[in-house]
Amino acid sequence: MTKLMLYLQNPSTRLIIFKPIKSNIVEAHIQLQSLLNSEYSAEEIQSIGMLSISDLQSQLDSLL
């Protein structure tokens, strides 16, 4: 994000570029959660400490 802000001064341009990146990150997170749910118990998954989808989206949104 630092480099993005350095080269792209317009916030709307950064948002346009970041939106598909954010979407890909969230999709990868969903796929990883699905894989973990199919292979591990709830206790094992909880010990990993993965963020919820909404928390991940909030963190990504805070980057802008």
Side-chain angles (χ1 to χ4, degrees):
M1 286 307 298
T2 303
K3 297 226 183 216
L4 195 60
M5 290 179 183
L6 177 67
Y7 293 107
L8 300 172
Q9 302 299 317
N10 187 335
S12 63
T13 304
R14 288 194 303 259
L15 182 62
I16 290 168
I17 290 175
F18 188 65
K19 189 175 179 179
I21 295 169
K22 177 185 169 190
S23 177
N24 287 343
I25 292 170
V26 170
E27 179 60 33
H29 190 79
I30 291 169
Q31 289 176 3
L32 180 57
Q33 277 187 334
S34 176
L35 175 66
L36 291 174
N37 288 333
S38 69
E39 299 293 325
Y40 297 97
S41 69
E43 295 82 28
E44 291 172 315
I45 294 170
Q46 190 174 22
S47 71
I48 294 171
M50 284 188 67
L51 293 174
S52 68
I53 299 299
S54 60
D55 288 341
L56 176 63
Q57 288 176 327
S58 295
Q59 283 191 0
L60 293 172
D61 288 339
S62 72
L63 294 174
L64 295 173

